[in-house]
Amino acid sequence: MLHWMTTISIWMIPILILCILMYGTLKRVPTYETFVEGGKEGISMSFSLIPFLVGMLVAISVFRASGALDFIVQSLNPLLSFLHFPSEVLPLAIIRPISGTAALGITSDLISVYGPDSFVGRLAATIQGSTDTTFYVLTVYFGAVGIKKMGDALKVGLLADLIGIIAAVIVVTLVFGMN
């Protein structure tokens, strides 16, 4: 069974690309020229996104280096203890909507310190998988198409992240218990 799944997963993308090319050819679309044109647009779009990405990365670095993240964690520690939420995971919950790379680094650190089978390790991995990089998504995708007003999308995205974190705590606690 595993062999079949591996074989299917290896061939899925090439088959999908082949199907798209065949469909385009049947519809008499100049597939190669369309591909090259899309590549040109992708490169120009990536250059236009660089200022947005640099600004976001600088803001993340300032937030972490200033000690603001540590201050927030220490301030919320009594509330987190009451809610049985490990304070070690709070930096991940705060950083995850901002930067996927920084969140992955925090998750990796938590797993290396506490172990992958600990409550903290399992919760960190579940939060990593059940939340999104909301600010990154809004910065890149909204910036790419020139949308300036993103207040409602930001609220909904952050609410979805909060629900993902709460669901992760509930599911990890129910499935694995508290260590």
Side-chain angles (χ1 to χ4, degrees):
M1 181 65 158
L2 181 62
H3 173 69
W4 283 103
M5 293 297 286
T6 303
T7 303
I8 290 171
S9 67
I10 289 172
W11 283 99
M12 186 58 67
I13 291 179
I15 289 172
L16 180 64
I17 291 171
L18 181 65
C19 289
I20 291 170
L21 290 174
M22 288 177 25
Y23 181 77
T25 303
L26 288 173
K27 293 290 187 177
R28 301 194 189 278
V29 174
T31 52
Y32 182 74
E33 292 81 3
T34 305
F35 172 77
V36 170
E37 188 62 34
K40 287 180 186 176
E41 288 178 24
I43 289 173
S44 66
M45 183 180 296
S46 66
F47 283 121
S48 69
L49 292 176
I50 289 174
F52 295 102
L53 293 174
V54 168
M56 187 181 62
L57 292 174
V58 167
I60 292 166
S61 297
V62 168
F63 181 65
R64 291 185 79 182
S66 69
L69 180 62
D70 294 332
F71 176 76
I72 291 170
V73 170
Q74 290 174 355
S75 299
L76 293 176
N77 201 17
L79 175 65
L80 297 174
S81 296
F82 176 74
L83 297 173
H84 302 289
F85 185 86
S87 62
E88 301 87 1
V89 182
L90 185 62
L92 173 63
I94 293 171
I95 293 294
R96 179 68 176 142
I98 301 170
S99 169
T101 305
L104 188 57
I106 293 171
T107 301
S108 178
D109 289 344
L110 289 171
I111 289 173
S112 67
V113 169
Y114 296 97
D117 293 331
S118 67
F119 182 77
V120 170
R122 288 174 172 155
L123 182 58
T126 306
I127 288 174
Q128 183 74 19
S130 62
T131 57
D132 202 356
T133 53
T134 302
F135 287 101
Y136 176 83
V137 168
L138 292 178
T139 301
V140 171
Y141 297 129
F142 281 45
V145 294
I147 296 174
K148 302 282 189 236
K149 297 180 180 179
M150 55 180 98
D152 291 337
L154 177 63
K155 292 173 193 169
V156 170
L158 291 175
L159 178 63
D161 288 334
L162 178 63
I163 291 169
I165 292 167
I166 292 169
V169 171
I170 292 169
V171 168
V172 170
T173 302
L174 290 175
V175 173
F176 300 109
M178 302 271 308
N179 290 15

